[in-house]
Amino acid sequence: FGFWSHDILGPGDDIELFVRWIQWGSYSGVMRSHDRGLSSGSCYTFPTVEGDCPVVEPWNVPRKYFDPIRQALQQRAALVPYIYTQYRKAFDTGLSIIRPMYYDYPELENSYNGDRFGNFSQYMFGDDMMVAPIVSQSDETTMTIKTIFFPPGIWIERHSGIEINVDKEDGEIMKKSFDLSEIPVYVKGGAVIIEKPCCEVLTGGARQQYSTLIFSVFPGKITGEGFVYEDDGESSSFLNGEFAWTSLKYTRSFDINNTQTFECQISTNGSYSILPQNRNVIIKLVHSTIPSFVSINSKRVDYSGRQTTAFSWNYDGTDMTLVINAGNVEVSQTLNVQVTIPELPISSFSGIKGYIQRSTLAKRNLDEVRATPGSKNGNPGPSEISKVSMTGDSLTFNSNNVLVFNSILSNFSTSVDAAITELNSLQYFNSNPFIQLFNQNTGHYALCSSQNCLLNHSGYKKIREEGYSASPLNPFSVKLIMFRNSENITEIKTKSKRSDKIPKDQFSNENEIEIGYILTSEAKNLETHISALSLYFNSNAKNYVAVSTLEGKKIVEKSGFILINPILGYVHDNPSFPALGSLNKNRLDYSISLLTSQFEEQRKITKFSDKTKSKDRLVPNELFQN
């Protein structure tokens, strides 16, 4: 089953699991989307039953799902050199790219625990990657918990950069949480993953010759190597020896000041008719700080700024990676690269990439309802969550200033702590309905949304709902107030404005009751699914009432009420619609869990990780010390 492929169907009625299926397929031996059998079966006479045979259009889904689908497909496209190399190894050895855990770790009992219910659903994807695809739905925060078995060794979580150092001989089992955008892929420490730019060719890219190769060297070993296989991609001439192997071999050494010297050699052996004579070569040192010196074939390589240019280096702060661009070089030429890297300004880079990405997701989630801390102030400045999300850009921008660069890294753990504290201080808001009430004894109507208002009208009967309250966090919301004097005459106002229908002196002993929050006219062009709240007055009963629905208006007009203000403000038509400033519990919990789940998981990792800074492991695996 090493080259078994999925018939990836969808989107169907569960787009989340369709996304997870695409992600799983992206790390399979063969990947292909598939229709639902339109030539046969129940779909032959499509549409036999509505919803049974949806057209497969991975791009035709909401943005929340489209982005992770695109990311998964881009990762697949970039990995073509790695995947094709594993195909060649399968040809030579019979060992396929998809391998059960017990192939590589037969002596470990947990290697045999995978079952058809999705428990320990993980496998080796070639020589250097372990994949544990998500096959279950998320919880109410949209995070999914998965239990993963980690064999002994160093594993780097690709999307987060978390380094997991397993010293126990029988491995470790750990529960981890994943956002919809995250695929559980783990790279062996010290591995060299060879890729190409994902989208140079949109059609038929897998058979194109590589015009660019990207060598990503992961931390975790003093020495290591990686290989990429190439042939013409369309004939069987490889059987006659027409193919080439390109390798990167590296070593690391440290001096008495813990300054690291990284040296690597890239060379190509073999040939075939259409092997490119020249190609772009990029070397990426994952979890590296900025260098003090870089050379290629003894020629100094200078800093290029924030853009990648030929024969230069720059720093990708979001990916925590040093990028060295050798430019367009002759394939027959051997490249000798030397990099001098000062001692790390912090104990480890483990997980920084994940915090940057997750804080960006957390902020974006709050931005959608304008609930991000600081967004309601006239001069807000960056919130703590904003500072963490901008760390990658800050590192990239300051990668030619070692003092500022190191200061950003040194303060990062404090920034994460502050961001988590900040998120936990937020208050969520559940949109309550405006309820129209009626007192049969007095003939008075009332409108209430707040609990206090309802308690003050205990003798009233509920008639209907008149929309839903706005959030007090919404920048365009105002408080709606009811006043009642000693003679039980009521008045309704917003802010400090009062109706002129009743003299103010009648309310010298007024009792103020909060009705709820409504939106001002400024929100009309920014909000959707809102209706005007109209104010009515009955001169005989000295009673005000506000209604928003056509049915409500008919009721009060039939009872002798006269319209005095057609637009007192606006109310929401639907409590579940994400209104500006309406931060509900699930939305807040999602933003919080993005950071707190990683924080707790990294604390657990330190309990079974080697905390000594040995040269064969380079860096310890914890980022925070408590």
Side-chain angles (χ1 to χ4, degrees), residues 547-586:
V547 292
S548 67
T549 64
L550 181 61
E551 181 67 23
K553 293 174 182 179
K554 289 180 179 179
I555 291 174
V556 297
E557 288 173 357
K558 187 176 181 180
S559 301
F561 283 76
I562 299 174
L563 178 66
I564 61 171
N565 188 346
I567 304 178
L568 184 64
Y570 292 88
V571 296
H572 294 292
D573 298 331
N574 188 333
S576 62
F577 192 82
L580 298 181
S582 296
L583 180 60
N584 61 39
K585 185 176 187 299
N586 285 350

Side-chain angles (χ1 to χ4, degrees), residues 172-232:
E172 290 282 358
I173 294 175
M174 184 177 181
K175 284 187 176 181
K176 296 191 90 286
S177 61
F178 299 92
D179 179 67
L180 186 62
S181 63
E182 299 169 345
I183 310 174
V185 177
Y186 298 88
V187 178
K188 284 183 177 179
V192 179
I193 304 298
I194 305 173
E195 300 173 286
K196 67 181 185 67
C198 79
C199 306
E200 285 185 325
V201 180
L202 297 179
T203 304
R207 62 187 295 181
Q208 299 292 323
Q209 297 300 301
Y210 306 137
S211 60
T212 301
L213 283 177
I214 303 171
F215 298 80
S216 294
V217 183
F218 284 77
K221 286 186 178 180
I222 291 296
T223 62
E225 59 186 356
F227 299 87
V228 60
Y229 168 79
E230 299 172 85
D231 58 29
D232 64 17

